[in-house]
Amino acid sequence: MDHRGDSDGHLIQRCHQRKWMTGNTNEVCGRVATFMLKTSGYLVDQKYPLFISEFGIDQTGANVNENRYLSCFLGVAAELDLDWALWTFTERYYVRAGVVGLNEYYEVLDYNWCAPRNSSFIQRISVLQAPFRGPGLSEAKLHNVIFHPLTGLCITRKPFAHWLRLGPCSESYAWSYSPHKTLLATRMHLCLQAGESGTSAKISIFCTGSNSKWR
């Protein structure tokens, strides 16, 4: 028997719509994720599959609320390795609200079905199309990647340098989170370290300072 949970992504999105515009994005995302985990996400911990239905955003990129919501959604979906269904793949309607050929701006494809409406959106969700864990992946040692939802990429390192860059998640370092609240690049004895405000983070061999502690 398939015990499959179904959580409506659009419902979660609408319930917090105004807060995405006016609040601190990270804090709003934390509250939304907590709400989802309490109402349906607990099924994942109980080993049941959870399917997120009908999530999506205005593909023109003009809706600030939805853009911020999407980064939150992608982060949570990657963390929990959720299954999902996107709204929507199709293009314009034949007839809707009395209008022939009404354009649907939530559609992934453009008006003529010839190309993606928003290529950056395709890149952002592509990492979620392959599972992070599960059957067939058990032979790989479990590890963490650091995912950047705004681009759909993961943290890697520039060759022969301590500075970080974004790249395909398949090329990401394996990271671990230590009891000392440091993020360690596995087998490299290096940790993730913050710079001054407005500067890039880097990896370093000096891991005891406060700028190497992460919550």
Side-chain angles (χ1 to χ4, degrees), residues 147-212:
F147 175 55
H148 188 243
L150 194 60
T151 59
L153 300 172
C154 288
I155 290 182
T156 62
R157 187 180 65 152
K158 293 181 179 180
F160 311 109
H162 285 247
W163 300 105
L164 300 170
R165 66 177 181 180
L166 293 170
C169 291
S170 60
E171 300 175 7
S172 174
Y173 285 122
W175 297 86
S176 62
Y177 187 62
S178 79
H180 303 292
K181 298 182 179 180
T182 55
L183 285 164
L184 302 172
T186 305
R187 299 188 302 275
M188 295 187 64
H189 307 290
L190 297 169
C191 63
L192 184 64
Q193 187 177 87
E196 297 179 357
S197 178
T199 63
S200 300
K202 61 181 181 179
I203 50 179
S204 173
I205 59 174
F206 304 106
C207 304
T208 58
S210 60
N211 60 341
S212 297

Side-chain angles (χ1 to χ4, degrees), residues 64-139:
V64 175
N65 288 334
E66 295 183 1
N67 293 339
R68 293 176 177 175
Y69 162 78
L70 180 64
S71 289
C72 179
F73 173 84
L74 294 177
V76 174
E79 177 74 19
L80 299 178
D81 200 22
L82 299 176
D83 293 317
W84 46 271
L86 178 67
W87 181 271
T88 178
F89 183 75
T90 57
E91 41 88 75
R92 63 187 185 274
Y93 294 97
Y94 288 118
V95 179
R96 188 178 189 185
V99 178
V100 177
L102 181 67
N103 208 349
E104 169 60 271
Y105 291 107
Y106 281 73
E107 293 163 345
V108 173
L109 296 180
D110 65 11
Y111 189 82
N112 295 312
W113 275 56
C114 294
R117 187 183 295 272
N118 185 332
S119 59
S120 65
F121 177 80
I122 300 300
Q123 176 173 296
R124 293 176 70 184
I125 65 169
S126 62
V127 70
L128 301 181
Q129 291 179 289
F132 283 101
R133 53 191 173 189
L137 302 177
S138 57
E139 66 275 8

